[in-house]
């Protein structure tokens, strides 16, 4: 089926995540290796000092950090891939990707409604965040409600188009689909 419309995430955001996670991974590998060699040099200099009992938790924490950073790189890399759309419409129906990029497909006649709602959050302790002193942040969510089953929440904050473009494409594919826009 040919695509009628498709919306992906902006690449710049996830490219930044991949670069930062890669830098942190490289730095943790370098400093973790240096710290490990320093611990073993202390063990050789002072045998029986009990430093080897400290090295096991250190090694486990080091490997857990590496695994988390590799997961962040893979997750952001999946969102960077060209085939990873968030919303796509065909003649058959609508395909969305919800939490953890899990794909959900609905036929047009299975959809009961679509609900748009922004959510406002506050940074921890009201402190200014790393995003230019912002104390509040906004996330945009689209809830796709089928007649049977649970609704799927789709994060549309960083789409490559405007939310009005999404509404126009959905209305063009199925004009009688109720779209509730709650801008709060």
């Amino acid at each position: 089926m040919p695509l009628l419309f498709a919306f992906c995430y902006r690449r710049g955001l996830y490219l930044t995540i991949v670069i930062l996670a890669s830098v942190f991974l490289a730095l943790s590998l370098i400093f973790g290796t240096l710290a490990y060699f320093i611990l073993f040099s202390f063990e050789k200099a002072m045998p029986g000092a009990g430093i080897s009992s400290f090295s096991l938790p250190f090694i486990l924490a080091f490997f857990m950090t590496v695994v988390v950073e590799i997961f962040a790189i893979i997750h952001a890399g999946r969102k960077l891939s060209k085939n990873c759309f968030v919303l796509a419409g065909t003649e058959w129906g609508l395909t969305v990707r919800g939490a953890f990029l899990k794909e959900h497909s609905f036929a047009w006649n299975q959809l009961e409604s679509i609900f748009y709602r922004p959510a406002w959050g506050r940074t921890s302790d009201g402190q200014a965040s790393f995003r230019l002193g912002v104390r509040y942040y906004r996330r945009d969510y689209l809830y796709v409600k089928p007649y049977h089953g649970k609704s799927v929440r789709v994060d549309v904050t960083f789409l490559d188009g405007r939310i009005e473009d999404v509404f126009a494409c959905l209305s063009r594919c199925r004009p009688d689909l109720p779209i509730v826009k709650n801008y709060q």
Side-chain angles (χ1 to χ4, degrees):
M1 287 272 164
L3 284 176
L4 299 176
F5 65 89
F7 291 94
C8 300
Y9 285 119
R10 280 185 229 143
R11 294 181 182 271
L13 171 78
Y14 294 105
L15 187 60
T16 305
I17 292 172
V18 168
I19 290 171
L20 287 176
S22 300
V23 167
F24 284 127
L25 178 63
L27 288 175
S28 70
L29 287 173
I30 290 169
F31 288 121
T33 305
L34 287 174
Y36 188 73
F37 285 133
I38 288 172
L39 283 176
F40 272 119
S41 67
F42 283 149
E43 182 67 31
K44 288 180 183 177
M46 298 180 292
I51 295 177
S52 61
S53 64
F54 172 75
S55 63
L56 181 64
F58 172 76
I59 292 170
L60 290 176
F62 170 71
F63 282 121
M64 287 184 61
T65 303
V66 168
V67 166
V68 166
E69 289 171 358
I70 289 173
F71 176 74
I73 291 170
I74 291 171
H75 183 69
R78 283 186 63 197
K79 288 189 175 187
L80 276 171
S81 68
K82 290 182 180 179
N83 297 332
C84 187
F85 53 83
V86 181
L87 296 162
T90 62
E91 293 175 3
W92 179 81
L94 179 69
T95 302
V96 297
R97 291 186 190 260
F100 299 110
L101 298 177
K102 184 177 178 187
E103 188 173 308
H104 303 274
S105 295
F106 305 103
W108 288 115
N109 59 2
Q110 290 178 337
L111 294 177
E112 180 179 343
S113 65
I114 293 184
F115 182 71
Y116 167 73
R117 181 176 167 202
W120 291 89
R122 186 176 173 94
T123 57
S124 62
D125 300 330
Q127 297 295 320
S129 70
F130 64 93
R131 297 187 302 176
L132 303 174
V134 177
R135 294 180 194 273
Y136 294 94
Y137 61 91
R138 176 180 163 170
R139 303 293 292 197
D140 296 329
Y141 295 108
L142 200 66
Y143 295 90
V144 179
K145 174 77 172 119
Y147 283 112
H148 304 289
K150 296 172 70 174
S151 64
V152 177
R153 184 176 82 167
V154 181
D155 186 3
V156 293
T157 305
F158 301 107
L159 282 185
D160 59 356
R162 298 176 309 139
I163 194 66
E164 287 81 18
D165 298 336
V166 174
F167 297 149
C169 290
L170 290 171
S171 297
R172 193 172 52 240
C173 290
R174 184 171 166 208
D176 61 335
L177 180 65
I179 299 174
V180 179
K181 303 169 191 171
N182 184 3
Y183 289 104
Q184 281 183 347

